């Protein structure tokens, strides 16, 4: 709420009012479409777009984030509730409100405990794979409304799509198909040639007028129908502990995925406007907006990429623009609902399809392959699994998260270990990268690129002993500890035994460039005194000088491959 004082500036207020109205023109039809995607009556999208955007703007930290119904959260809401009740039924509506409350409570708890970092468990490859699959699932879930045929659900989503296509071959309702095609052409055409015109609003108005004039509903076309007039009242949904238990996993996933979407766009806008963003405060704002949605006949909401972009591009300066957006939705609920009676469901389906079309991107997967092939594999597995097991898409993202964590653990268990030698510019380089570099049979230099903990301590020991066996005349082994950021008790224990074992072989164990955390650990355990403080050096050169001094005057250091080659 730090922006409230800025509203004394008339220019700020004017800019926010214009931006708020602009976003509302997109939000009204879009929210109705997303409510349909969630399996709810279209007007529930308006309810979720009334108070939640205001609450998120007031209690969050982002100034331009536009909160409300979004495609991915709507799809996950439908997935969560479908096994529990019939879409559109009283039970389904009550569970939607309860789900919003659970999502909100979980997000607030994360924010209060300052656990916003949990969203980092959703790695970029997982998000890319899940988003691509989700976009395809969302788009194909609207095919029955585009063709005007009944939706015959299969066990998996792809089976449902096959059933719809088979039904559409013989039973397509042509007026519905033409209405969807017209809406798509209007939105694509205006976006390309007249981008400043609200294309979604124009498509909605045009097809609604056309449906009214031609008697679209009388010919078998499906329309939104009657929408209750007035603002939503506060209500507390009934709680069934068994149902809550079934929804708990979905609530956690929706909370994390929704917040991930919100914080991603919020960070991008904060970088553009150079404003401070508090992820934990944003969690609280998003959580309160979801609780508000649950109390006022809405369903789970989140920050929207598309509407946030519209908001900032329209000149929004503070969160007051979202307050204006909510007020405009309230006016629509009070006075404009009769005008939406003839709005074709095919138009809403077209709005959804075009909204998610930009989410299908192959480029990030290719980029991930170039950066790290294993990450691309995780993205592809998440994508394929999410598509295959839909509508149970939550398992796709869970498997992706597990794979990412497993990859992280595997990488940290086997970090890069490099034997070093002096390069011609005086630096120490990996001899596997520069095989022309010579090594010493008396002194070996090893770099361990990772923290030393229980999962890789044995690996570290094996690599050191492997180096010992490589050089029978070895007298000193120097560990470059620059990359060892942390060391747990297992790592310290291995280090202790390794030093003793090398000592029995008449090999001195020396460490250079240690981090402060490393030194604090060995001081507390007494390992520093056991090995000897003179065996720890702040620079590699100091460690080499110590080794050369230990070898005595008979050793000609000028012939050592580790000597300085430039002065």
């Amino acid at each position: 709420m730090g922006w409230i004082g800025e509203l004394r500036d008339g220019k700020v207020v004017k800019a926010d009012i214009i931006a708020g109205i602009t976003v509302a023109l997109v939000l009204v039809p879009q929210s109705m479409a997303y409510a349909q995607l969630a399996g709810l009556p279209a007007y529930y999208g308006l309810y979720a777009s009334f108070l939640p955007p205001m609450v998120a703007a007031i209690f969050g930290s982002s100034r331009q984030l536009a909160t409300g119904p979004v495609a991915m959260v709507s799809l996950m809401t439908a997935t969560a509730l479908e096994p529990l009740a019939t879409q559109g039924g009283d039970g389904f509506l009550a569970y939607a409100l309860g789900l919003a409350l659970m999502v909100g409570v979980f997000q607030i708890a994360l924010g209060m405990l300052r656990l916003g970092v949990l969203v980092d468990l959703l790695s970029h490859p997982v998000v890319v794979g899940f988003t691509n699959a989700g976009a395809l699932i969302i788009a194909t879930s609207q095919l029955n409304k585009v063709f005007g045929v009944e939706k015959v659900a299969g066990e998996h989503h792809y089976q449902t799509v096959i059933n719809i296509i088979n039904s559409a071959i013989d039973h397509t309702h042509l007026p519905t198909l033409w209405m969807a095609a017209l809406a798509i052409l209007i939105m694509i055409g205006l976006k390309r040639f007249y981008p400043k015109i609200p294309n979604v609003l124009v498509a909605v108005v045009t097809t609604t007028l056309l449906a009214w004039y031609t008697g679209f509903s009388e010919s078998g076309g499906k329309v939104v129908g009657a929408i209750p007039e007035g603002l939503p009242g506060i209500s507390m949904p009934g709680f069934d502990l068994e149902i809550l238990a079934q929804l708990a996993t979905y609530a956690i996933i929706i909370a994390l995925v929704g917040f991930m979407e919100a914080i991603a766009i919020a960070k991008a806008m904060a970088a553009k406007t150079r404003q401070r963003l508090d992820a934990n405060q944003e969690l609280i704002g998003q959580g309160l907006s979801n609780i508000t949605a649950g109390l006022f006949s809405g369903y789970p909401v989140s920050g929207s990429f598309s509407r946030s972009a519209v908001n900032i591009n329209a000149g929004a300066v503070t969160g007051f623009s979202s307050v204006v957006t909510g007020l405009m939705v309230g006016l629509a609920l009070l006075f404009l609902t009769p005008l939406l009676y003839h709005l074709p469901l095919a138009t809403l389906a077209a709005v959804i399809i075009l909204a998610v079309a930009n989410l299908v991107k192959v480029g990030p997967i290719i980029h991930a392959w170039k950066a790290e092939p294993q990450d691309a594999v995780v993205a592809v597995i998440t994508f394929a699994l999410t598509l295959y097991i839909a509508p149970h898409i939550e398992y796709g993202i869970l498997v992706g998260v597990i794979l990412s964590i497993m990859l992280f653990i595997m990488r940290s268990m086997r970090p890069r270990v490099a034997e070093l030698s002096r390069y011609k510019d005086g630096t120490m380089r990996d001899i596997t990268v520069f095989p022309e570099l010579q090594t010493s049979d008396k002194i070996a230099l090893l770099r361990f690129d990772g923290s030393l903990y229980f999962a890789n301590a044995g690996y570290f020991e094996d690599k050191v002993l492997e180096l010992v066996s490589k050089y029978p005349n070895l007298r000193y082994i120097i560990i470059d500890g620059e990359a060892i950021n942390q060391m747990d008790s297992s790592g310290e224990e291995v280090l202790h035994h390794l030093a003793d074992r090398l000592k029995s072989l008449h090999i001195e164990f020396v460490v250079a460039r240690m981090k402060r955390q490393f030194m604090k650990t060995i001081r507390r355990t007494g390992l520093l005194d056991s090995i000897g403080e003179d065996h720890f050096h702040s620079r590699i050169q100091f460690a080499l000088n110590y080794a050369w001094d230990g070898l005595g005057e008979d050793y000609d250091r000028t012939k050592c491959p580790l000597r300085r080659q430039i002065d």
Side-chain angles (χ1 to χ4, degrees), residues 306-365:
S306 59
R307 295 193 300 273
S308 296
V310 171
N311 195 31
I312 193 170
N313 290 334
V317 180
T318 73
F320 183 63
S321 63
S322 291
V323 175
V324 173
T325 297
L327 292 174
M328 292 299 296
V329 173
L331 291 175
L333 282 167
L334 287 171
F335 304 110
L336 302 180
T337 52
L339 302 179
L340 298 171
Y341 181 95
H342 291 282
L343 173 58
L345 296 186
T347 300
L348 296 181
V351 170
I352 291 173
I353 290 171
L354 287 187
V356 301
N358 292 330
L359 296 179
V360 180
K361 297 178 181 178
V362 180
I365 298 179

Side-chain angles (χ1 to χ4, degrees), residues 98-347:
L99 183 63
L101 290 174
M102 293 175 67
V103 170
V105 168
F106 183 72
Q107 288 180 328
I108 289 176
L110 289 182
M112 296 292 287
L113 296 172
R114 308 194 69 79
L115 293 176
V117 293
L118 283 180
V119 76
D120 293 336
L121 291 175
L122 298 172
S123 66
H124 182 66
V126 173
V127 172
V128 168
F130 181 74
T131 303
N132 275 276
L136 290 177
I137 294 168
I138 291 169
T140 53
S141 70
Q142 301 302 301
L143 290 179
N144 63 308
K145 296 173 184 175
V146 170
F147 293 111
V149 297
E150 292 298 321
K151 183 178 180 180
V152 181
E155 182 180 354
H156 295 287
H157 177 72
Y158 70 86
Q159 295 170 330
T160 303
V161 173
I162 293 173
N163 293 337
I164 292 173
I165 293 174
N166 290 334
S167 180
I169 292 174
D170 299 320
H171 302 98
T172 294
H173 186 249
L174 290 178
T176 298
L177 180 60
W178 292 125
M179 198 67 76
L182 176 62
I184 290 174
L185 287 175
I186 290 173
M187 288 185 285
I188 292 177
L190 289 179
K191 185 176 182 180
R192 180 173 181 180
F193 298 107
Y194 303 98
K196 293 185 178 181
I197 296 177
N199 57 351
V200 175
L201 183 63
V202 172
V204 166
V205 171
T206 302
T207 55
T208 300
L209 291 174
L210 185 62
W212 167 75
Y213 181 75
T214 60
F216 178 69
S217 59
E218 286 78 9
S219 68
K222 293 184 177 181
V223 295
V224 168
I227 296 177
E229 294 184 20
L231 303 177
I234 188 169
S235 62
M236 178 65 72
F239 290 99
D240 184 323
L241 292 180
E242 185 177 344
I243 296 298
L244 289 179
Q246 293 182 53
L247 290 177
T249 301
Y250 289 99
I252 292 172
I253 294 176
I254 291 173
L256 291 176
V257 171
F259 179 67
M260 174 209 67
E261 187 172 355
I263 200 66
I265 185 64
K267 284 181 177 179
M269 293 187 299
K272 186 176 181 180
T273 59
R274 297 186 179 183
Q275 294 167 353
R276 179 179 176 274
L277 185 69
D278 185 339
N280 293 301
Q281 185 61 43
E282 196 59 51
L283 261 173
I284 293 173
Q286 290 291 306
L288 288 172
S289 69
N290 272 294
I291 288 179
T292 303
L295 294 176
F296 289 90
S297 301
Y299 72 99
V301 297
S302 180
S304 165
F305 278 96
S306 59
R307 295 193 300 273
S308 296
V310 171
N311 195 31
I312 193 170
N313 290 334
V317 180
T318 73
F320 183 63
S321 63
S322 291
V323 175
V324 173
T325 297
L327 292 174
M328 292 299 296
V329 173
L331 291 175
L333 282 167
L334 287 171
F335 304 110
L336 302 180
T337 52
L339 302 179
L340 298 171
Y341 181 95
H342 291 282
L343 173 58
L345 296 186
T347 300

Side-chain angles (χ1 to χ4, degrees), residues 413-414 417 446 448 452-453 456-469 477 479 490-491 493-502 509:
M413 286 178 66
R414 295 294 183 269
V417 180
L446 193 72
F448 188 75
L452 191 59
Y453 72 114
N456 63 22
Y459 177 70
F460 169 77
E461 183 179 29
D462 291 342
K463 286 297 181 180
V464 171
L465 295 178
E466 182 181 307
L467 197 63
V468 170
S469 64
I477 183 164
I479 303 298
S490 299
E493 186 72 14
V494 165
L495 209 62
H496 195 161
H497 289 303
L498 187 60
D500 289 342
R501 184 171 181 178
L502 292 175
F509 184 76

Side-chain angles (χ1 to χ4, degrees), residues 542-560:
F542 295 160
L544 286 172
N545 291 340
Y546 172 81
W548 288 331
D549 289 344
L551 290 173
E553 296 180 358
D554 294 337
Y555 182 78
D556 187 359
R557 70 176 65 183
T558 61
K559 295 182 180 180
C560 179

